[in-house]
Amino acid sequence: MSEHASDEPVIPLPTAQEKEVNFLARSGAVVTLRLIDTGRFELKLDTRGDYTAELRHDGETFEVIPAPGVHALGGKGLTATELYEGF
């Protein structure tokens, strides 16, 4: 049985009106997203002050690009569930 999009957690994304949003990941970490540009966001974790990444969203999937020198979750074609569970 395949997973339906409605089974995916909702990752709140910042907008031009609301430039920063937070969500609670499965681990309990607070994930902060700040708007950089259309479909591009800065991603920070409250549990790891050194973690910074760029999150890209194409309307369907996510891409996480850790900042240079940051060794952590990254990748292309990620689902909302993978982001929620990965952090």
Side-chain angles (χ1 to χ4, degrees):
M1 185 176 238
S2 66
E3 237 180 64
H4 298 290
S6 62
D7 296 336
E8 291 274 331
V10 174
I11 303 295
L13 297 174
T15 63
Q17 293 77 31
E18 187 177 17
K19 297 192 184 310
E20 181 175 306
V21 298
N22 299 307
F23 70 92
L24 192 62
R26 182 177 178 155
S27 68
V30 175
V31 179
T32 300
L33 298 174
R34 287 189 190 102
L35 181 66
I36 296 173
D37 199 354
T38 303
R40 295 178 51 221
F41 312 92
E42 178 188 60
L43 188 153
K44 294 230 177 225
L45 300 176
D46 73 333
T47 55
R48 283 192 55 194
D50 66 330
Y51 185 86
T52 301
E54 182 178 330
L55 176 70
R56 295 181 183 174
H57 186 247
D58 64 11
E60 291 185 23
T61 61
F62 295 91
E63 178 179 6
V64 177
I65 306 162
V70 174
H71 302 287
L73 173 74
K76 292 183 177 184
L78 301 171
T79 64
T81 298
E82 289 168 322
L83 281 181
Y84 172 74
E85 292 180 354
F87 292 111

